Amino acid sequence: MKKEFSVTPWHVTGKVNYEKLIKEFGTQSVSVSLISKVKNPHSLLRRGLYFSHREFDLWLKDAQAGRKVSILTGRGPSEKMHLGHLIPFLLAKSLQESYNCPVYIPISEDEKFFVKKNLSFKEAQEFADDNVLDLIALGFKQGKTFIAKDFSYLPVYRNSAKIAKLISYSTAKAIFGLKPENNIGWTFYPAVQAFHILWPQFAEGPHKTLVPVGIDQDPFIRLTRDIATHSTLNFQKPSAIHSKFLPSLTGQAKMSSSEQENSLIYLSDSAEEVKKKINKYAFSGGKDTIEQHRKHGGNPDIDISFLYLKYLFEQDDKKLEKIHNDYKSGKLLTSELKNILIDKINAFLKEHIKRREDAKKHVDKFILE
Ligand code: TRP
């Protein structure tokens, strides 16, 4: 029987049923009571984009008790960054602010070089350097945030080797669905990402690490949890918190470069481009004519502009609720809703571009060589 959807680290197809994934992967769902324990929870957490976890509660307990904890999430530099790529980093930053803990950010140029047929060795490295500037621009704490690239950080290879020895080929194949035609880089890479996930413990000794990440990355989490406590490592099992995919403007489940550029907002887009893309492509829950819309109202819950405000750009609950209600009643028109989002995104990107320029002066304070 053909599955109606499939989620792996390399491919996402079909309409994802997230409840089913929780069962299939054997993770826990993020509950209201769990969120209520988090200090200043980010809108991504409060409003449900992060929906699943593995032992986030245990990480929180240690964080709240003042024990050593860390956060880790990585970036596969396959292209320039768009809004969807920010999801794990925004939560990492928010938790760093709440708990004053270190954040580790590995950059996997090797992964993207192996997996993307048309990505050259040089391009993978160029995207790595480019993406690092966007990450620093998000405002992580200097001195408590460590970025390392797989091709230049020496401990990557030796520690991945220790891990590779603990993973059989058949385990890797079962977890990652490796295909006969895949180059052998794909086979080794899971050991590298398992190292990433344990990197804070290699660096600072055993403690709880939290990995905010898209649910497609859970196979790496599972694999790493299985080997973390092996007697040659003696680490703690890492915790994880998983997000759904931020829909693209046209409403696809996962933003990726294979979709047209038009359906994604890149961090490098000009104010004009943002305006054009949202107006032209953002899927609307509004009615076909203004008369109809005024009379029957729109559906904010399927409206991409509303969803972007909800998850990313409107932190104020009261303001968000007003937008929701006004759109539903027909008081707020689609063009007006889109304008609210356009202004928010452009204000964010204007700041981002400045901070990105500034980041160029500080790269060496974040990157480990
Ligand atoms: N594989 C991830 C991606 O393609 C990037 C990544 C590399 C990562 N190392 C990581 C994510 C460690 C989480 C933890 O997006």
Side-chain angles (χ1 to χ4, degrees), residues 206-239:
H207 66 274
K208 285 267 164 234
T209 299
L210 177 70
V211 188
V213 80
I215 186 70
D216 58 311
Q217 299 289 308
D218 187 64
F220 292 109
I221 304 288
R222 242 176 292 153
L223 175 78
T224 310
R225 286 172 58 86
D226 282 348
I227 52 121
T229 54
H230 188 273
S231 61
T232 55
L233 299 173
N234 272 323
F235 292 140
Q236 298 197 15
K237 286 183 191 291
S239 298

Side-chain angles (χ1 to χ4, degrees), residues 122-184:
K122 185 158 168 273
E123 282 166 337
Q125 288 175 291
E126 284 167 357
F127 281 131
D129 291 331
D130 168 272
N131 292 179
V132 162
L133 296 177
D134 286 315
L135 296 174
I136 295 174
L138 295 179
F140 289 102
K141 290 188 181 177
Q142 201 174 303
K144 275 194 172 274
T145 306
F146 310 103
I147 304 178
K149 296 179 283 182
D150 283 344
F151 284 155
S152 42
Y153 186 51
L154 200 57
V156 171
Y157 187 67
R158 52 175 88 149
N159 291 323
S160 304
K162 293 178 198 163
I163 290 165
K165 199 166 176 176
L166 305 176
I167 306 170
S168 71
Y169 178 71
S170 63
T171 301
K173 191 162 181 277
I175 300 187
F176 298 98
L178 302 167
K179 300 206 184 87
E181 68 272 23
N182 294 151
N183 64 61
I184 61 174

Side-chain angles (χ1 to χ4, degrees), residues 72-76 106 108 111-112 189 193 196-197 211 213 217 220:
L72 174 134
T73 187
R75 164 79 194 139
S108 56
E111 173 187 24
K112 298 302 164 182
Y189 178 72
Q193 189 153 330
H196 292 159
I197 295 170
V211 188
V213 80
Q217 299 289 308
F220 292 109

Side-chain angles (χ1 to χ4, degrees), residues 273-314:
E273 281 168 315
V274 170
K275 188 171 169 195
K276 199 181 110 208
K277 286 183 183 181
I278 304 276
N279 279 330
K280 201 159 168 195
Y281 299 104
F283 181 81
S284 160
K287 294 288 184 301
D288 288 344
T289 66
I290 291 185
E291 291 71 41
Q292 288 275 317
H293 188 87
R294 289 270 188 237
K295 201 164 156 202
H296 303 290
N299 181 355
D301 301 314
I302 58 163
D303 186 286
I304 294 292
S305 302
F306 180 76
L307 293 177
Y308 277 33
L309 287 169
K310 173 174 164 181
Y311 292 127
L312 292 173
F313 292 105
E314 184 51 80

